[in-house]
Amino acid sequence: MTSGDYGFPAALWRTIARFRPPFLGRTKAWRSPIRGTWLTSIFGAVLLVTLPVVILTGLLDYIAYGPQFGQAFPGNVGWLHLPYFSWPARPSWLFRLTQGLHVGLGLVLIPVVLAKLWSVVPRLFSWPPARSLAQLVERLSLLALVGGILFELATGVLNIQYDYVFGFDFYTAHYYGAWVFVAGFVTHVVVKLPTMLRGLRSRSLRAELRTGVADTRPEPSDPADPDSLVAIEPGPPTVSRRGALALVGSGSLLVAALTVGQTVGGVLRPAALLLPRGRSYGDGPTDFQINRTANAAGVVGADVGEHWRLSLTGGTEPVLLDAATLAALPRHTATLPIACVEGWSSTQTWSGVRLRDLAARAGVPAPTSARVRSVERAGAFNSAQLTSAQVLHPDALLATHVNGAPLSLDHGFPARVVVPALPGVHCTKWVGSIEFRSAS
């Protein structure tokens, strides 16, 4: 579509075009000779492959929180709710994988997103903003796409750092913002996919990777095309397309190196400098991530001291267990990860009593669900509902020890829930009661 071509209603677009604000329209301000459809299409292809993974894992993580039990945030989302199904307890690393991918890949893509925005910035200043109804849909999708992804990245990074300067509930905003972004992403892909495919075929990637700065030339451009990304008067190249791709790629690799250790652990853990800010750890065998300390939860020694009792209900009579009685029950040990919404995870060796053994002791040998409650009096996650599969999993524990040592107060002393594939916030600490429920 050239500057003189307008779709229906043409009179409207021509009228808008006559009232061009200052600094809008195709200008000579953008002079980089590497801008063009091909480079933009390369960045777009990378995002087309990877962003669906970020979207899917984010939606799966929401389901893992159990929205059908009212314990996911936001709660009532109306027709935007996802299909309800019970989050599986196998494999034990499932939530670690989905949450690690969602956060880690989202961070790794930041340099690519910024490069893509740089490559299309001339188009964001074009005037009139649309020349046909189809182009209007494209521009609206671009607004949702750009605004949505910047909002999701900004709030996501701040959430990782526990820095809630934005003043609204992160979970609610991130969920609804995700749907705005998804709508823009899908619409933009449908509209622009043919352009991206033509752009990818317009130049040889192998040839560009062999082309240095001295041989870099602008893409061919139609001066009458108001949507062209090619500069009107290209300046001399200061970087080749190969160099631009290397810069963006190395930026993503650097972010990956500073992030991946928080999920995979091992020798890469010390390099995970992008771990949540303000993190705290225990000592010795309990030297691993603490997301919520006892002090932050308002749990004091008196709440879990000698008068602490574990209440098991659901059977004909309540069962109360003191610490000594709980310690005398058959023990089980399992090596399981705990993963949190901020993207970090930690695998430890836990020991305690199987939840299914406690259910049998409560008189509910085949529970359909269980409600675990903490002695913590307030807090969004001071209780959690577990499914039958989670309760009956052979490695699902009410843990009292970790790595051979008693739990520290910050790690949930005297007892905490540890269940395979369960989000960390639902591995309730400082457990005071468990209600086992059955269908009968």
Side-chain angles (χ1 to χ4, degrees), residues 26-45:
R26 194 170 182 215
T27 71
K28 300 177 182 179
W30 320 105
R31 302 193 62 202
S32 173
I34 67 172
R35 273 198 178 94
T37 303
W38 182 82
L39 188 61
T40 297
S41 298
I42 290 291
F43 294 138

Side-chain angles (χ1 to χ4, degrees), residues 21-68:
F23 311 112
L24 291 182
R26 194 170 182 215
T27 71
K28 300 177 182 179
W30 320 105
R31 302 193 62 202
S32 173
I34 67 172
R35 273 198 178 94
T37 303
W38 182 82
L39 188 61
T40 297
S41 298
I42 290 291
F43 294 138
V46 173
L47 294 176
L48 180 61
V49 172
T50 52
L51 282 177
V53 177
V54 178
I55 294 169
L56 179 61
T57 51
L59 296 178
L60 285 174
D61 291 342
Y62 179 79
I63 292 174
Y65 275 71
Q68 68 271 38

Side-chain angles (χ1 to χ4, degrees), residues 251-276:
S252 291
L253 289 175
L254 176 62
V255 174
L258 298 177
T259 303
V260 69
Q262 70 173 350
T263 297
V264 302
V267 296
L268 295 175
R269 177 77 67 176
L273 300 181
L274 296 183
L275 274 167

Side-chain angles (χ1 to χ4, degrees), residues 61 66 70 85 137 154 162 171 193 198 223 260 350 357 376 397 401 423:
D61 291 342
F85 64 86
V137 171
Y162 303 143
Y171 297 99
L193 184 61
R198 286 196 301 270
V260 69
W350 307 89
D357 292 342
E376 179 186 358
L397 300 175
H401 290 69

